[in-house]
Amino acid sequence: MQTFTIARRPAIVLGIALGLCLGPLALPAADWPQWRGPQRNGISAETGLLKEWPKEGPPLVWQIKDIGSGYSTPAVVGDRLYLLSNQGLDNEFVQALDAKDGKRIWSQRIGKVGNPDQQPSYPAARSTPTVDGEWVFALGSDGDLAGLERATGKVRWQKNLRKDYGGQPGTWAYSESPLIDGEAVVCTPGGADATMVALNKKTGELIWKCAVPGGEQAAYTSALVIEVGGVRQYIQMLQKGLVGVEAKTGKLLWRYDRTAKGSPAVIPTPVADGDFIYSAGARSGGGGVRLKADGGKFEAEQVYYSPKLPTSIGGAVKVGEYLYGTSAGTLLCMEFKTGTVKWDDRSIAPAALCYADGRLYLHGENGEVALVEAIPEAYREKGRFKPTDPPDHGASKAWAYPVVANARLYIRDLGTLWCYDIKAGR
């Protein structure tokens, strides 16, 4: 039987339960305030962007090469970028950059790099900061969770998922990007006692903790908010499967394990639409489930599963009725609720991707960047280039996700960040 603990904070819990919108952050559509954008689905609502790129790619605004190492993507709010990086293994830090030229505004160390002896070895900062009002929330790879002042970077409170909650990350340390929902910051320590937790975002005080049976490790994905059957819940991929946890209490509601079986690293963040959820795990496969609610009880009913659906590190996006994502060497378009593949193409797969204004933006693991029409009829590429003066990857690859914000395209690759102008009609 699952166990869960609720700290007695009625006003805070009520605030979570009465959240008015499913998206965790209410900010201008042009901003990209957290992991995978305003609604955590890889979608930007921006319009008026270039429909096709010249051979050399869109105009380069600036390139900087001193941001520190890591795979974190920037959160973009107004005229600032926020991202995690590391210098060596003892200094993992949050930084704010000026969107105009990439110059550093402030920097704040939050801890060290987690699991430095990992094999294969890619120790580095991984998570994307979450911007919420005057706060920035960041989770370091060693489990250092911090609430910082957005203006100055000053740490207001800090916890460590290992020390404070008995957390157990996977081999490649923590990669989760914190979820803000109302007054709560939600994250996944892993382990037997507090597999998932909700904390007061202003103090770091515990609201509840959920102990998932089996005490499994945290995976490398980030939580989402959904509402099904009148119940608001957080969905998250753990190392052994997909779970749903009640937002109000931390109670485990359901789980689905098929897309995590046999996978050494569960990385893509799930994609949800109403009661339907797509999840995937490398070396396993992708699958769609429909949540069935009956008298407060939930069941995840598998609708489809296939090892040939998108499973790559770069995740997937849902545009209309279709899901776009990459497998080991193919970009696919499939019907979201049936799993039927409409087309596939080698493109620059495997790749990370996002969507804006009718186009998919892909950042390939080979370092290339491509623009592709998001249509179910056929693969139609509208531009491809390789950023100038890329870093030496060594044994790693270009794993950072692309970001579209305020008519700019941001591409990170280890210690380098490029900013491109993608506004049409300039």
Side-chain angles (χ1 to χ4, degrees):
M1 178 180 295
Q2 78 272 11
T3 60
F4 53 95
T5 303
I6 309 173
R8 296 189 180 277
R9 300 288 182 271
I12 295 172
V13 173
L14 182 62
I16 299 171
L18 296 180
L20 296 178
C21 64
L22 290 181
L25 299 172
L27 288 166
D31 285 337
W32 193 272
Q34 62 176 333
W35 171 243
R36 285 177 45 92
Q39 306 301 322
R40 291 205 155 201
N41 57 7
I43 303 293
S44 168
E46 279 198 75
T47 58
L49 306 180
L50 289 170
K51 298 298 185 182
E52 192 165 356
W53 291 342
K55 183 178 180 180
E56 65 277 10
L60 178 66
V61 180
W62 48 257
Q63 175 185 359
I64 53 175
K65 303 177 68 175
D66 59 354
I67 59 171
S69 188
Y71 307 107
S72 168
T73 58
V76 185
V77 176
D79 58 0
R80 289 190 180 186
L81 318 179
Y82 305 86
L83 72 162
L84 266 70
S85 296
N86 64 283
Q87 294 286 355
L89 297 177
D90 292 325
N91 180 18
E92 188 162 339
F93 57 95
V94 188
Q95 58 186 316
L97 308 178
D98 192 327
K100 179 178 63 177
D101 51 21
K103 291 183 178 179
R104 184 175 296 177
I105 298 170
W106 57 254
S107 175
Q108 176 64 58
R109 181 184 185 274
I110 60 170
K112 62 182 182 179
V113 174
N115 294 11
D117 297 326
Q118 59 191 248
Q119 293 297 328
S121 186
Y122 314 114
R126 303 173 183 279
S127 306
T128 295
T130 302
V131 182
D132 179 56
E134 299 308 310
W135 291 79
V136 176
F137 300 91
L139 176 61
S141 61
D142 202 38
D144 296 292
L145 176 65
L148 306 94
E149 289 183 357
R150 178 178 159 194
T152 66
K154 181 179 179 179
V155 175
R156 283 301 187 183
W157 60 262
Q158 188 161 0
K159 300 289 183 179
N160 183 274
L161 302 192
R162 298 181 193 257
K163 296 176 182 177
D164 294 313
Y165 309 109
Q168 295 181 11
T171 299
W172 293 279
Y174 287 106
S175 297
E176 182 180 17
S177 301
L179 169 67
I180 302 300
D181 184 38
E183 294 301 309
V185 52
V186 180
C187 58
T188 312
D193 184 52
T195 319
M196 291 184 68
V197 297
L199 310 178
N200 183 309
K201 71 179 183 182
K202 293 182 179 178
T203 67
E205 185 178 1
L206 181 70
I207 300 172
W208 54 250
K209 59 181 179 178
C210 174
V212 174
E216 58 198 273
Q217 294 177 336
Y220 309 96
T221 74
S222 297
L224 304 175
V225 185
I226 65 170
E227 190 166 312
V228 176
V231 178
R232 191 175 181 86
Q233 52 189 278
Y234 305 129
I235 60 173
Q236 174 65 301
M237 280 290 278
L238 303 173
Q239 187 55 42
K240 295 180 182 178
L242 179 68
V243 299
V245 174
E246 187 176 38
K248 183 178 180 180
T249 66
K251 177 183 177 181
L252 179 66
L253 299 174
W254 57 269
R255 68 176 299 151
Y256 168 71
D257 294 344
R258 184 65 184 89
T259 50
K261 285 184 177 179
S263 180
V266 180
I267 299 175
T269 292
V271 178
D273 182 16
D275 63 358
F276 202 95
I277 305 166
Y278 178 85
S279 62
R283 300 187 190 176
S284 174
V289 298
R290 178 172 285 109
L291 295 184
K292 299 175 67 176
D294 184 11
K297 296 183 179 180
F298 293 84
E299 177 186 356
E301 178 183 65
Q302 180 176 292
V303 177
Y304 60 83
Y305 168 83
S306 172
K308 297 182 180 180
L309 298 179
T311 59
S312 292
I313 290 173
V317 296
K318 177 182 177 293
V319 181
E321 300 303 314
Y322 301 94
L323 187 79
Y324 300 85
T326 67
S327 62
T330 307
L331 172 66
L332 298 94
C333 169
M334 54 174 269
E335 293 179 353
F336 180 66
K337 293 190 176 180
T338 69
T340 301
V341 175
K342 303 298 290 185
W343 55 256
D344 62 81
D345 192 279
R346 291 196 61 82
S347 184
I348 57 170
L353 71 164
C354 66
Y355 166 89
D357 199 16
R359 302 291 188 264
L360 302 171
Y361 293 77
L362 285 78
H363 183 207
E365 291 185 7
N366 64 1
E368 293 182 349
V369 181
L371 186 69
V372 177
E373 287 189 3
I375 55 173
E377 290 80 15
Y379 176 85
R380 294 176 184 166
E381 188 173 298
K382 294 298 179 178
R384 183 189 299 204
F385 72 99
K386 191 160 187 175
T388 57
D389 197 16
D392 179 5
H393 293 108
S396 70
K397 298 179 181 179
W399 284 315
Y401 281 46
V403 166
V404 171
N406 302 312
R408 300 284 178 86
L409 169 64
Y410 297 95
I411 300 292
R412 181 183 187 165
D413 196 350
L414 296 178
T416 300
L417 182 65
W418 295 265
C419 172
Y420 297 94
D421 185 353
I422 55 172
K423 181 72 173 177
R426 290 200 196 279

